[in-house]
Structure formats: structure tokens, C-alpha cells
Amino acid sequence: MNHFLAIIIKLLMITAVVTFINSFIYGGLITNSLLISLILTFVTYIVGDLWIFTKSSKQHEYVWRNTIATFSDAILVFIIIYFVGSTLNDQNNVDLLSSAFASALVLGIVEWLFHKYMDVVVFKNQLKRITEREPNGHI
């Protein structure tokens, strides 16, 4: 249930940012922004949140894990928006480079906060098991 709620929260925040920047500022189609948001949500959740965030360093080094995962997510956002957007926005005159950069920057900031939520709510049982096994919290 925690993962389902996390995916819904991530989908809503990505959709809001990408739709606002890509569609309202840069003039892209809203349907394209929604499709890009769906792709971004699942790719960044699996790669950035479940794989990189949990595996990038020791569990007690939260700031380092969050930094690595946030930069990874921002890079993924830029790449996906630019390449998927270029495929979808062939006939539209959309500045994809600027749109992808702006979205990556804003979502990078939002992802930093989202990773805190993931750490406290979604991965709380994992943290509890590690600290029970190792009294000092080190792996």
C-alpha cells in the first residue's frame, strides 16, 4: 500500500510540473505532457527511488543517498522529456531543450523532498530492521 500511495504522489507531482512547464510555458500539447508524465513516473520510481536511492550507499548516509538519487532522477527527467518529447512534438514548435532542462531542475528539487517521504514512510520497516540488527545503525 505504501508503494501505491508513493507512485500516486509521484505521478501527481510530475504531472503538475511537466504539464505546467511543457504545456503552459513552452506550448506543448497537454496529452503529450500527460504521456511523458506517465513514462517519467514509472521509470524514475523504479530506477531512481527503488534502485538507486536504496542501493547507492549505506542506509545511515541519507544525505549522500538522496543526493545521488536526486541527480539521477534529474538526469533521467531531462533525457526522457527531451527524447520522448522530440518523438511526440514533431509538428509543434516546442523548445524541448529548455523545457527538459526546466523540468529537470524543478523536479530535482521536488525529488529531494519526495525521497525524504520515501525514507520515512515507504522504507521505514527496512530502516527499522537494519537498526535492530546493528545497534549503531551501520551495515
Side-chain angles (χ1 to χ4, degrees), residues 18 22 28-37 84-85 88-89 92:
V18 170
N22 190 43
L29 296 174
I30 291 178
T31 54
N32 293 350
S33 296
L34 294 176
L35 182 60
I36 290 170
S37 297
V84 173
L88 296 175
N89 290 319
N92 297 335

Side-chain angles (χ1 to χ4, degrees), residues 10 13 48-49 51-74 107-120 123:
K10 188 170 186 96
M13 70 181 193
D49 300 331
W51 187 56
I52 294 174
F53 183 64
T54 59
K55 309 282 191 250
S56 58
S57 70
K58 295 180 180 172
Q59 194 66 32
H60 67 281
E61 297 173 342
Y62 169 75
V63 174
W64 183 244
R65 285 185 304 117
N66 196 0
T67 303
I68 292 170
T70 300
F71 277 111
S72 304
D73 283 339
L107 283 173
I109 295 167
V110 174
E111 283 289 339
W112 181 269
L113 300 171
F114 182 72
H115 291 150
K116 182 67 176 173
Y117 168 80
M118 292 290 291
D119 209 36
V120 172
F123 299 129

